[in-house]
Amino acid sequence: MPEILLDIKNIIYTYGDYRALDKVDFAVAAGEFVAIAGRNGSGKTTLTRLAMSLIKPTGGHIYFQGENTATMTPADMSRSIGYVFQNPDRQIFQGTVEKEVAYGPEQLGFSPDTVKEAVRQALNMTGLTELAGNFPRTLSRGQKQKVAIASAIAMRPQVLILDEPTSGQDPWEAQSLMDLLTKLNTQGITIILVTHDMEIISQYTARAVVLEQGHKVFDGTPAELFNGNQPIKKWGLVPPAAVALRQELGSLARQDESNLSDLLGCLLKQRSEYNA
């Protein structure tokens, strides 16, 4: 059985009198590709910030590899968990892509040779090698997001948390980014993806956790989430196009079946009356 890396136990978090998370409980095992979904304000980003110790829970506990993170700092967590913000400009501040990617490993105390190799590998994995000398802020939104991911994986984390990484990107950039995350996952990095994009959940992730008004309301596979038995519209989620089409065709088929049954009943009644 895979090792439990991140174990979230009955987490409560309040902003003043507002309870943003209310007894949320779930665990993430090594090698998983998990989506955290929910409408705006459901508590998704708050949950990931808690996981990184950027903020501390009002109640409950978070464990990483069995160790309580209550006394851990964001710097402590960054040794094991990479965090990519929704807006990559929030975490890019070096003069070149190469320097940006090297910053994290340097802060963690990697040796110069280890930093150099970590940067080389991260740039190669993200397809940014040819852009190593570029000023990051001149890049496209998708390229900036890859710089942020390269910066995270250069620190060699076990887990990568990404907050709405495809927002503001065109479909080609979004697909390229998701293909990259899939590759990283197959190479052993656990992925936790915060997203409102149900197409991405259905195509790329193996598990979805849905939050609604601070509560966990679903935890299962995308197939279970979109099988028509879950109140996803109530949770503010829009089903993937293929799922919506399948459900609509199923509805039409049921209507046609009902109409056919009524027609057959009329014909049988007419035949009975004629034979009489």
Side-chain angles (χ1 to χ4, degrees):
M1 185 175 180
E3 176 191 9
I4 297 298
L5 293 181
L6 188 64
D7 198 1
I8 295 169
K9 296 281 193 181
N10 293 313
I11 283 297
I12 298 172
Y13 189 79
T14 59
Y15 294 98
D17 294 331
Y18 174 68
R19 183 166 288 201
L21 292 170
D22 192 359
K23 298 182 179 179
V24 174
D25 189 291
F26 71 96
V28 177
E32 283 200 274
F33 197 141
V34 183
I36 300 177
R39 72 176 87 225
N40 290 340
S42 61
K44 306 186 300 296
T45 297
T46 298
L47 185 60
T48 60
R49 288 172 61 82
L50 285 162
M52 284 299 298
S53 284
L54 294 169
I55 53 178
K56 295 296 183 181
T58 307
H61 301 281
I62 297 176
Y63 299 88
F64 187 79
Q65 291 184 303
E67 186 174 354
N68 196 323
T69 65
T71 60
M72 295 183 184
T73 66
D76 295 329
M77 299 305 297
S78 68
R79 295 181 179 275
S80 300
I81 303 177
Y83 190 90
V84 178
F85 289 91
Q86 178 176 354
N87 182 355
D89 287 322
R90 291 184 59 188
Q91 60 191 109
I92 292 176
F93 54 91
Q94 295 292 323
T96 68
V97 169
E98 184 175 27
K99 289 181 180 179
E100 185 67 42
V101 176
Y103 181 80
E106 289 171 348
Q107 296 306 303
L108 292 180
F110 289 12
S111 70
D113 287 344
T114 303
V115 170
K116 185 176 180 180
E117 180 59 17
V119 171
R120 185 194 68 78
Q121 291 178 351
L123 292 177
N124 182 59
M125 292 173 72
T126 53
L128 295 172
T129 301
E130 295 183 358
L131 300 177
N134 287 42
F135 182 49
R137 294 190 180 277
T138 64
L139 304 179
S140 70
R141 175 66 178 261
Q143 289 171 328
K144 288 178 183 178
Q145 200 66 274
K146 286 185 177 181
V147 171
I149 292 172
S151 299
I153 63 177
M155 293 187 283
R156 298 179 174 173
Q158 294 171 270
V159 181
L160 189 59
I161 299 176
L162 304 102
D163 190 355
E164 301 283 4
T166 60
S167 65
Q169 297 185 30
D170 63 41
W172 296 273
E173 286 183 320
Q175 182 177 338
S176 175
L177 180 63
M178 292 310 303
D179 289 343
L180 168 62
L181 296 181
T182 299
K183 181 173 72 173
L184 294 176
N185 184 240
T186 61
Q187 293 175 353
I189 297 179
T190 302
I191 305 291
I192 300 175
L193 180 70
V194 174
T195 183
H196 67 280
D197 192 326
M198 299 301 104
E199 300 285 350
I200 284 176
I201 290 177
S202 67
Q203 293 180 41
Y204 293 97
T205 69
R207 177 183 169 200
V209 175
V210 179
L211 300 180
E212 170 66 355
Q213 296 182 345
H215 296 270
K216 185 185 78 173
V217 292
F218 177 86
D219 187 349
T221 66
E224 292 168 336
L225 179 61
F226 302 125
N227 65 10
N229 296 324
Q230 306 297 331
I232 61 174
K233 290 184 179 179
K234 177 182 176 182
W235 300 335
L237 307 180
V238 178
V243 172
L245 178 60
R246 185 171 66 246
Q247 292 175 347
E248 185 64 25
L249 290 174
S251 177
L252 290 173
R254 288 190 294 272
Q255 291 178 20
D256 289 344
E257 183 178 348
S258 176
N259 293 337
L260 182 60
S261 177
D262 291 343
L263 177 60
L264 182 59
C266 290
L267 290 174
L268 290 174
K269 181 179 179 181
Q270 290 176 358
R271 180 179 178 183
S272 176
E273 291 174 349
Y274 177 78
N275 289 335

